[in-house]
């Protein structure tokens, strides 16, 4: 799926939220005990070799490491861009080499990634080329498939691939998601990550969310005892939405304004609109409550 423009736009800065319904009581309860998981959510790294970006990105990744997360969720657009026409093989490879340098900083940590729209190389000479499309991204990110799920300490995690027609899951993946949720025991707290927002305030500003969001909303309501939170990136903006007891967090971008200083609409240096570059730390509790806090880097 080719993109002609960066669909990355604005929101307000921050901060920690708990779920589900009785938010105030849940927050009070959560602060009196320890989370069972601490997770770092980084997204839209957009790494490339120019402008000392690998070293700048690694410096910021070291700040993330200081939070001692149990593992990392990487929300996609790991490399700057391989998706446009006339991107060469060499250019694609040098971006992935920069990603490998970045990833080596946390080589001993688990990183669960999803595929961003800028990650696949579509301008290969043939579809049979080993670097064409999403299978090569799966290989470079060291993930099992374009979409998958896993379990950690009583929580279930689902990683989606929204790179289908109109920003959607497509029929096969939607059926897989239905089956995956149906297979879970009742009241299994579940976190879902997609590169693109499923439901987002930013969509009213700039578009860019899942076109199948109504179908997903209906599915999540069917499994309202399970689905607790949905994470996304893509917009380079920060927002949160809450609907049917599901929290939707769009957690900015580590690259901010694609590692640039910004433009005349930027609220500050490296901001995209009103959102600074940054990352989120999530704290997950055994009863399904969750905290999401955004840490701006400038």
């Amino acid at each position: 799926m080719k993109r002609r423009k960066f669909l990355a736009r604005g929101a307000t800065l921050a901060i920690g939220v708990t779920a589900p319904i009785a938010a105030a009581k849940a927050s009070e309860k959560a602060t009196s005990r320890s989370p069972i998981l601490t997770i770092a959510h980084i997204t839209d790294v957009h790494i490339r070799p120019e402008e000392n970006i690998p070293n700048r990105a690694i410096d910021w990744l070291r700040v993330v490491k200081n939070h001692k997360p149990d593992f990392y969720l990487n929300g996609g657009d790991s490399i700057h861009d391989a998706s446009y026409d006339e991107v060469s093989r060499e250019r694609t490879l040098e971006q992935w080499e920069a990603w490998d340098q970045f990833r080596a900083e946390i080589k001993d940590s688990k990183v669960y990634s999803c595929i961003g729209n800028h990650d696949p190389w579509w301008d290969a000479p043939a579809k049979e080329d080993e670097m064409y499309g999403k299978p090569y991204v799966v290989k470079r990110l060291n993930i099992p498939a374009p979409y998958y799920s896993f379990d950690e300490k009583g929580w279930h995690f689902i990683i989606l691939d929204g790179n289908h027609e109109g920003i959607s899951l497509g029929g096969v993946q939607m059926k897989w998601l239905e089956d995956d949720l149906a297979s879970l025991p009742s009241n299994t707290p579940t976190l879902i990550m997609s590169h693109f927002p499923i439901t987002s305030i930013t969509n009213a500003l700039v578009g860019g969310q899942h076109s199948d969001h109504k179908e997903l909303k209906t599915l999540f309501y069917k499994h309202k005892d399970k689905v607790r939170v949905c994470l996304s990136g893509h917009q380079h903006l920060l927002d949160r939405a809450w609907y049917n007891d599901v929290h939707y967090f769009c957690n900015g971008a580590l690259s901010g304004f694609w590692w640039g200083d910004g433009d005349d609409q930027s609220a500050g240096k490296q901001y995209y609109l009103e959102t600074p570059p940054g990352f989120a730390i999530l704290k997950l509790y055994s009863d399904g409550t969750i905290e999401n806090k955004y840490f701006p880097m400038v």
Side-chain angles (χ1 to χ4, degrees), residues 44-289:
D44 295 84
V45 178
H46 282 281
I47 205 161
R48 58 189 186 276
E50 299 83 20
E51 303 173 68
N52 197 35
I53 288 171
N55 289 329
R56 293 161 62 193
I58 288 170
D59 284 345
W60 285 4
L61 184 57
R62 288 171 179 155
V63 176
V64 184
K65 284 174 63 178
N66 287 338
H67 291 269
K68 298 181 174 15
D70 293 296
F71 59 86
Y72 295 77
L73 293 174
N74 167 39
D77 281 358
S78 301
I79 62 171
H80 183 58
D81 182 68
S83 66
Y84 291 112
D85 293 338
E86 300 180 1
V87 175
S88 69
R89 185 186 306 276
E90 292 71 25
R91 175 60 175 168
T92 302
L93 285 171
E94 68 181 10
Q95 291 179 80
W96 282 114
E97 288 166 3
W99 171 260
D100 291 342
Q101 182 182 350
F102 176 82
R103 177 67 177 86
E105 180 64 29
I106 50 173
K107 62 180 182 299
D108 296 326
S109 299
K110 294 179 182 178
V111 178
Y112 298 97
S113 299
C114 64
I115 300 174
N117 53 295
H118 289 292
D119 295 325
W121 185 44
W122 301 113
D123 207 30
K127 292 183 178 181
E128 294 74 25
D129 191 294
E130 67 174 357
M131 287 180 59
Y132 176 81
K134 290 188 283 187
Y136 186 72
V137 181
V138 168
K139 176 182 177 181
R140 294 307 296 250
L141 291 175
N142 193 29
I143 55 179
Y147 52 90
Y148 57 99
S149 63
F150 63 96
D151 299 284
E152 290 277 358
K153 294 186 178 180
W155 275 76
H156 188 63
F157 297 84
I158 298 173
I159 312 300
L160 298 177
D161 171 21
N163 293 284
H164 294 264
E165 187 66 30
I167 308 180
S168 70
L169 301 185
V172 172
Q173 186 179 181
M174 183 66 81
K175 180 61 166 60
W176 171 87
L177 178 60
E178 292 170 356
D179 292 345
D180 189 80
L181 286 170
S183 71
L184 297 174
S186 298
N187 300 306
T188 301
T190 299
L191 181 152
I192 296 173
M193 180 173 71
S194 178
H195 176 63
F196 309 93
I198 292 174
T199 291
S200 175
I201 296 165
T202 65
N203 188 64
L205 302 173
V206 299
Q209 79 175 24
H210 273 254
S211 62
D212 51 4
H213 60 93
K214 291 183 179 179
E215 292 89 340
L216 289 167
K217 176 267 297 180
T218 300
L219 178 62
F220 297 166
Y221 189 73
K222 180 179 179 181
H223 296 282
K224 60 184 178 180
D225 61 318
K226 302 168 186 174
V227 180
R228 294 286 182 262
V229 60
C230 295
L231 300 181
S232 70
H234 184 60
Q235 310 288 63
H236 292 222
L237 296 177
L238 184 64
D239 83 353
R240 64 175 183 252
W242 180 77
Y243 187 71
N244 285 342
D245 210 18
V246 178
H247 282 265
Y248 298 85
F249 296 108
C250 184
N251 277 325
L254 194 69
S255 64
F257 196 86
W258 300 274
W259 301 104
D261 287 345
D263 61 14
D264 59 1
Q265 297 184 65
S266 298
K269 186 177 180 180
Q270 300 184 49
Y271 280 54
Y272 193 83
L273 299 182
E274 296 83 23
T275 299
F279 63 93
I281 295 294
L282 291 92
K283 295 183 178 181
L284 278 58
Y285 295 86
S286 59
D287 65 353
T289 53

